[in-house]
Amino acid sequence: MKDILIFKIWRHKLPALTALATMALVFLWPSIPLGGINNWLQFLYYYSPQNYFYVILSILSGIYVGIYVYDRKVQSCCSIQSKKVGATGSVLGVLLGACPACIPVLAFFLPLSISIALSRVSLWFLIIAIAIMLLSIYRMNGFRKV
């Protein structure tokens, strides 16, 4: 169990620190448009069950970045072509799935009907982003022994 890659990245300083920093950055990103960390934590706790999926997305994003840094700096363990998919999943989940101010910002560039439709299906974008992150961690051998 200790030799599985998602657990092995925590034994090295650089992958562990970058994973923790990414988790914190992705988790706290929506606090910027909401006007503070206390507003974000209140919104996270009281309002939508969708926000619990966002916590899962932030953890998976941190693990993904930790595996990427582990592959680059410690030991090569995965193929090159699977690395870009995880970044796409993370951006998709943050911008369209959970960020409460990102979809209204898109209203400047898109018609109102598209913005409303995106806000109605943001939970599905978040679930798709979690699936993409799990797939990219799997393709980077995150669930295998190294």
Side-chain angles (χ1 to χ4, degrees):
M1 185 82 168
K2 293 179 187 177
D3 293 333
I4 296 176
L5 186 58
I6 59 173
F7 298 123
K8 200 170 184 178
I9 62 170
W10 301 105
R11 291 190 212 148
H12 302 279
K13 285 184 183 179
L14 187 61
L17 287 175
T18 55
L20 286 174
T22 303
M23 284 181 198
L25 181 71
V26 171
F27 179 73
L28 295 175
W29 181 259
S31 68
I32 295 169
L34 286 176
I37 293 175
N38 58 345
N39 292 338
W40 167 237
L41 293 177
Q42 183 180 10
F43 181 78
L44 181 73
Y45 182 73
Y46 287 113
Y47 292 106
S48 175
Q50 171 180 346
N51 295 327
Y52 300 117
F53 287 121
Y54 188 69
V55 173
I56 294 169
L57 179 73
S58 65
I59 291 169
L60 290 175
S61 297
I63 290 172
Y64 170 77
V65 171
I67 290 172
Y68 181 80
V69 171
Y70 182 87
D71 181 62
R72 287 287 196 175
K73 301 293 182 184
V74 178
Q75 176 185 359
S76 181
C77 58
C78 57
S79 63
I80 300 294
Q81 61 266 33
S82 63
K83 294 177 184 172
K84 296 178 184 176
V85 177
T88 305
S90 183
V91 169
L92 175 75
V94 171
L95 291 181
L96 297 176
C99 183
C102 294
I103 291 178
V105 168
L106 288 175
F108 287 118
F109 306 108
L110 299 172
L112 180 62
S113 60
I114 294 175
S115 299
I116 292 171
L118 286 177
S119 65
R120 302 252 327 162
V121 295
S122 65
L123 176 64
W124 293 107
F125 281 119
L126 190 56
I127 291 171
I128 290 168
I130 289 172
I132 290 172
M133 291 301 296
L134 284 171
L135 177 69
S136 62
I137 290 172
Y138 174 76
R139 289 187 64 202
M140 291 177 73
N141 299 328
F143 302 114
R144 294 186 184 146
K145 290 184 179 183
V146 176

